[in-house]
Amino acid sequence: KQEVTQIPAALSVPEGENLVLNCSFTDSAIYNLQWFRQDPGKGLTSLLLIQSSQREQTSGRLNASLDKSSGRSTLYIAASQPGDSATYLCAVSRSGGGADGLTFGKGTHLIIQP
Amino acid sequence: DAGITQSPRHKVTETGTPVTLRCHQTENHRYMYWYRQDPGHGLRLIHYSYGVKDTDKGEVSDGYSVSRSKTEDFLLTLESATSSQTSVYFCAISGAENYGYTFGSGTRLTVV
C-alpha cells in the first residue's frame, strides 16, 4: 500500500525566506505527482503536476522536483510572502493511470510571518 | 472551482438518516472521485467512477454508496448516517491518466 509522508508537518518562517517542503512515497511505481494548496475551510488548488517521466516543474515562484527512484519530491517556494500561508499537500497516482485516485500526504501547514 | 460544483456546501443531519451529496462537472471528464478529509487522517478515497455506471470502492467505502447515471453527475449516498461520518467531503475530476486532478469546494457534513 502506497504511503505518502510530508515533512515538516508545520513550518513558520519570516517573509522573504526561500523554503523547501518535502514529500516522500513508499512505492516508486507512480504515474504522476501533484502538489496542492489548501486554505482554511477551502478546497484544494492545484499548484504543480509532475509526470513520472519529468524531473521538475516550475510555476512562478514555485518549483517542484521529482526523484522517482528515491521516492521523493520537493516543493521549493522562493521569496515567501504572507499570502503563501496555507497547507500544502502532496499526492501521487498509481502507475497505470489516474483511474483509481490519488494517495495524499497529511500536509505541511505553512505560516509566513509578515 | 471552475467546472466542478458540489451541493450542498453545508449540511447537518441526524444519525440514522440517509444523505446524498452531489458533484456536478461541466468538463466532460471521464473520472470522478469522492474523498473525505479528517484531522489526523488527511484525504482518503471513498469511491470513484471511471465512466457512466462504472464505479469502484476506495479505501474507506463502508457505509457509502455512489451512482453515476450521467457523465456530469456523481452522487455519494450515506445510507444511514453515523457520527463517524461527520467530515468534509470533496469531489474531484480527472480527464485522463496523464491529467491532474481538479477538486470541488467541498461539503461540510455534520451528523448529530
Side-chain angles (χ1 to χ4, degrees):
Chain A
K1 177 186 173 186
Q2 178 75 272
E3 293 184 2
V4 180
T5 302
Q6 292 188 244
I7 294 174
L11 183 63
S12 181
V13 299
E15 179 178 6
E17 285 200 6
N18 301 325
L19 50 98
V20 174
L21 308 183
N22 296 291
C23 172
S24 62
F25 43 95
T26 54
D27 185 351
S28 62
I30 65 168
Y31 201 78
N32 56 43
L33 183 145
Q34 197 165 356
W35 282 93
F36 295 89
R37 168 189 173 136
Q38 186 175 30
D39 294 288
K42 304 294 185 182
L44 280 68
T45 300
S46 180
L47 297 174
L48 290 164
L49 171 69
I50 309 177
Q51 305 288 349
S52 60
S53 59
Q54 298 174 323
R55 299 284 293 184
E56 66 178 327
Q57 283 286 337
T58 297
S59 176
R61 295 182 294 107
L62 305 179
N63 176 275
S65 66
L66 174 63
D67 184 343
K68 266 188 63 176
S69 60
S70 67
R72 296 180 184 275
S73 177
T74 62
L75 179 66
Y76 176 82
I77 303 177
S80 59
Q81 303 171 358
D84 295 330
S85 298
T87 296
Y88 290 80
L89 296 164
C90 168
V92 299
S93 66
R94 204 166 64 172
S95 181
D100 52 358
L102 293 168
T103 301
F104 281 86
K106 294 183 179 178
T108 294
H109 181 54
L110 177 63
I111 297 174
I112 307 298
Q113 305 156 9
Chain B
D1 290 292
I4 178 171
T5 56
Q6 293 184 232
S7 59
R9 293 296 310 276
H10 302 272
K11 186 170 182 67
V12 180
T13 193
E14 293 186 349
T15 299
T17 61
V19 177
T20 296
L21 309 183
R22 181 182 184 234
C23 179
H24 178 76
Q25 60 143 330
T26 57
E27 304 296 322
N28 200 35
H29 282 347
R30 176 181 178 186
Y31 303 108
M32 299 186 76
Y33 308 84
W34 278 106
Y35 288 85
R36 61 178 289 175
Q37 186 176 36
D38 304 287
H41 290 282
L43 280 134
R44 294 177 291 175
L45 183 65
I46 305 171
H47 280 281
Y48 62 96
S49 170
Y50 45 94
V52 173
K53 298 186 179 179
D54 291 324
T55 65
D56 208 344
K57 297 179 179 179
E59 180 186 0
V60 289
S61 60
D62 287 348
Y64 301 94
S65 62
V66 290
S67 65
R68 192 170 178 198
S69 59
K70 299 183 289 184
T71 298
E72 57 266 35
D73 290 325
F74 192 33
L75 304 180
L76 176 71
T77 297
L78 288 65
E79 295 142 8
S80 177
T82 67
S83 58
S84 65
Q85 293 175 313
T86 292
S87 187
V88 181
Y89 291 85
F90 287 100
C91 177
I93 59 175
S94 179
E97 283 81 357
N98 60 344
Y99 280 27
Y101 289 64
T102 301
F103 280 75
S105 299
T107 294
R108 184 173 295 275
L109 177 68
T110 303
V111 183
V112 298

